[in-house]
Amino acid sequence: MIPASTAPTTTPRTLVRRARVAGAVSAGVALGVGELVSAFGAHGQSLVGGVANEVVDRAAGGAVRWAIDVFGTADKAVLVLVIVAVSIALGAWVGKLSLSRRWVGPVAFGAFGVLGMVAGLRDPLASKTVVVVAAMSAVLAGVVTLFVLLRVARTGHAVVVARPGPIERPGDAKGSRRAFFGWAGAAGAFAATAAVAARSLANRTDVEAARQLVTLPPATTPPGEPPVSVGDSFAVDGVTPYVVPNDRFYRIDTAFVVPQVDVDTWRLRIDGLVDRPFEMDFDELLALSTTEEVVTLSCVSNEVGGTLVGNARWQGVPLTALLDRAGVQPEGTQIVGASVDGFTAGFPTDAAYDGRTALVAVGMNGEPLPTRHGYPARLVVAGLYGYVSATKWLREIRVTRWDDVDGYWIPRGWSKEGPVKTQSRIDVPRAGARLVPGTTPIAGVAWAPTRGIAAVEVQIDDGPWQPAQLGDTVSDDTWVQWMVPWDATPGEHRLRVRATDGTGATQTSDVAPPDPDGATGWHTRRVTVETS
Ligand SMILES: Nc1nc2c(c(=O)[nH]1)N[C@H]1C(S)=C(S)[C@@H](COP(=O)(O)O)O[C@H]1N2
Ligand SMILES: [Mo]
């Protein structure tokens, strides 16, 4: 009989299982430590975020489009979850391999660290030192954790305890199991705590505090013009407000980590094919006269009936004021906005000069631009989808030849020109609402920025198209709320909406997907009215 003290602590199968757990937990610790150290960087940077950014930038336009389609504005969170899950799965595999080949752990974690470091260093906003230190700390933490956990898995002890008698006294299987899962659990808890701490540290409000201190000078909208009335037109529950509050405004961008711009060092440059390129700081920009305009901004990825569209009051300097000061040369047929994070969007110079609203915006709904929406400055051009016009965290306005530069999304398969298509959406009754017979409103919004909306019509089942009542608008650049009172009868019904723009053109019924230049079709909703 084998004496208890020399009995094998673990069977080979248990050992492999524990090695997998050890590897997975070590990967978690590496990620947690990497995130925690990078969070000390300038703009809440993150190694995982850097990798996510690389994935977004490199992935074929199609994959990103698919992700936006499927996950909407949660696409970034999903991407991060995928990166974390893949890392932990790889870690489990590395743990198992490390049982027979000790070098696998250091090599795998090292490779992982280099990946995070390269991605981090490519982020133009990240502090390079922080990226390097974060990646090295992550590797070290991962390797040490793996080493310690594998030792506990084998021996039941974290350290070799020198004691008289047999060199290793692993104890009984139960004790070793408790020891291993105790250590692994502690390491896992540490990883989770580090990740949570990193997120709250990264979101510390340096830039937010600076933003809060910004006082926008009042807009110098043409004197004598009455203040814009931006109230809602119908007292219908569930209709999107005419002006969407900042915290409810859709957000779409490629920035995994929202750029945190320090206005003390920020400059806006106007250059390219201009006679007098110049630069100005934030105070100089704020000192210029501004106007406030209500403009509906829409994302080209918005599906028919989708929510990637919003209407806000934008305060800003007319783009032509800056372009005129620089003196656009005749061959300068494109305006390219460039962001501090490298994003670019270009539109025809003609769009800036044809009389439509085109602003370098500093204010949104009476506040300095929220960080997520481009603080300290962004472009807003009425009638053009955001991907060709609405550069957030604006750093440079470059005048180029139309064919010389393509904005970020163009090589990724989207149309070079992006005029906003006429669209209308049913907000109420909501999808899946339980309706009772009687009068109930059908209501929503419709938009055709720069052209305006002349009419909205609703069709119930195969009935005639009925005109909707239109709410008030302050200009043709904004959407309009619409409403039709409907005498709902029991049964299933199909509701459809279509709009006619200010040129007299009715929204097409042809169904087209968002790519390459915006979705078309009539928004349709099926509802059930219960027999009361
Ligand atoms: N810097 C930067 N600006 C950007 C983008 C971006 O990815 N990066 N996305 C554009 C797109 S596609 C849209 S639809 C609008 C969305 O603006 P919002 O997030 O303020 O609604 O921003 C535009 N400006
Ligand atoms: Mo967009």
Side-chain angles (χ1 to χ4, degrees):
M1 200 182 141
I2 306 166
S5 61
T6 58
T9 307
T10 48
T11 64
R13 271 183 57 198
T14 325
L15 193 56
V16 166
R17 203 177 320 124
R18 288 186 193 171
R20 284 214 181 91
V21 172
V25 168
S26 308
V29 168
L31 289 176
V33 168
E35 289 308 282
L36 189 55
V37 177
S38 24
F40 285 95
H43 73 291
Q45 63 196 61
S46 140
L47 287 185
V48 174
V51 173
N53 264 338
E54 283 297 298
V55 174
V56 170
D57 282 0
R58 281 163 197 280
V64 172
R65 226 173 298 154
W66 173 85
I68 292 177
D69 281 359
V70 176
F71 304 115
T73 36
D75 57 337
K76 293 184 187 69
V78 171
L79 180 55
V80 166
L81 282 181
V82 169
I83 290 173
V84 170
V86 167
S87 307
I88 287 176
L90 284 175
W93 185 55
V94 166
K96 187 198 150 207
L97 292 182
S98 296
L99 278 179
S100 48
R101 284 166 287 247
R102 283 171 155 262
W103 53 266
V104 170
V107 167
F109 277 101
F112 209 68
V114 168
L115 191 77
M117 189 151 75
V118 168
L121 290 176
R122 289 174 52 90
D123 173 356
L125 294 177
S127 146
K128 312 286 179 231
T129 322
V130 171
V131 168
V132 172
V133 175
M136 292 192 335
S137 319
V139 172
L140 191 68
V143 171
V144 168
T145 308
L146 181 62
F147 182 78
V148 170
L149 289 182
L150 284 180
R151 173 183 290 279
V152 183
R154 283 199 176 95
T155 67
H157 297 290
V159 286
V160 185
V161 190
R163 55 171 91 211
I167 306 273
E168 297 216 325
R169 284 200 49 213
D172 59 307
K174 220 163 148 198
S176 118
R177 181 191 154 80
R178 201 181 306 126
F180 175 74
F181 283 101
W183 279 88
F190 169 76
T193 311
V196 170
R199 273 352 283 160
S200 66
L201 192 61
N203 293 334
R204 72 191 183 281
T205 49
D206 285 4
V207 167
E208 188 50 31
R211 176 181 166 264
Q212 301 272 353
L213 290 177
V214 173
T215 318
L216 295 178
T220 41
T221 326
E225 231 176 63
V228 290
S229 144
V230 290
D232 291 322
S233 297
F234 306 107
V236 173
D237 230 25
V239 184
T240 310
Y242 179 59
V243 168
V244 179
N246 291 351
D247 57 4
R248 282 181 55 188
F249 205 91
Y250 83 96
R251 171 190 169 203
I252 285 289
D253 51 62
T254 59
F256 169 69
V257 176
V258 178
Q260 312 272 311
V261 176
D262 173 8
V263 283
D264 291 337
T265 54
W266 179 83
R267 298 283 182 281
L268 176 61
R269 251 195 95 66
I270 321 293
D271 58 14
L273 299 172
V274 296
D275 295 331
R276 300 167 297 275
F278 66 92
E279 227 181 53
M280 61 170 67
D281 64 20
F282 192 50
D283 288 338
E284 289 169 305
L285 182 65
L286 289 185
L288 298 178
S289 61
T290 57
T291 78
E292 183 168 70
E293 309 285 351
V294 184
V295 175
T296 294
L297 189 65
S298 171
C299 183
V300 69
S301 298
N302 194 40
E303 300 277 357
V304 172
T307 55
L308 302 179
V309 55
N311 188 49
R313 285 189 290 131
W314 306 97
Q315 183 186 346
V317 176
L319 178 57
T320 49
L322 299 176
L323 293 177
D324 287 347
R325 181 161 147 193
V328 174
Q329 296 173 356
E331 66 274 33
T333 45
Q334 178 176 223
I335 309 294
V336 179
S339 156
V340 298
D341 69 353
F343 173 87
T344 51
F347 53 91
T349 304
D350 286 347
Y353 281 100
D354 67 5
R356 75 180 70 206
T357 301
L359 299 175
V360 172
V362 290
M364 181 176 184
N365 293 330
E367 278 178 39
L369 277 182
T371 318
R372 290 153 32 97
H373 295 291
Y375 175 79
R378 75 176 301 171
L379 281 162
V380 171
V381 183
L384 300 182
Y385 286 121
Y387 82 105
V388 290
S389 66
T391 306
K392 304 192 274 190
W393 314 290
L394 185 65
R395 169 179 59 78
E396 183 192 8
I397 297 170
R398 174 174 284 266
V399 181
T400 74
R401 286 183 194 85
W402 181 254
D403 291 326
D404 282 358
V405 176
D406 284 335
Y408 181 90
W409 284 110
I410 314 311
R412 291 167 171 85
W414 295 81
S415 163
K416 174 114 184 186
E417 292 202 65
V420 178
K421 295 178 176 176
T422 302
Q423 266 299 341
S424 49
R425 182 178 79 198
I426 300 170
D427 288 340
V428 283
R430 290 176 210 234
R434 302 176 126 247
L435 297 175
V436 292
T439 306
T440 188
I442 304 172
V445 285
W447 61 95
T450 70
R451 302 180 297 281
I453 293 291
V456 172
E457 298 163 287
V458 168
Q459 185 192 41
I460 293 142
D461 302 322
D462 291 313
W465 285 94
Q466 327 173 14
Q469 300 170 39
L470 298 187
D472 298 327
T473 56
V474 299
S475 78
D476 287 343
D477 291 339
T478 82
W479 66 17
V480 60
Q481 296 174 313
W482 57 263
M483 199 270 286
V484 171
W486 172 40
D487 189 15
T489 54
E492 303 223 346
H493 298 286
R494 184 194 66 193
L495 315 177
R496 292 209 284 194
V497 64
R498 70 179 186 196
T500 297
D501 74 12
T503 72
T506 296
Q507 179 187 337
T508 178
S509 60
D510 294 349
V511 174
D515 79 283
D517 64 356
T520 60
W522 291 337
H523 189 209
T524 302
R525 182 158 283 174
R526 284 170 202 286
V527 295
T528 305
V529 181
E530 282 163 18
T531 20
S532 53

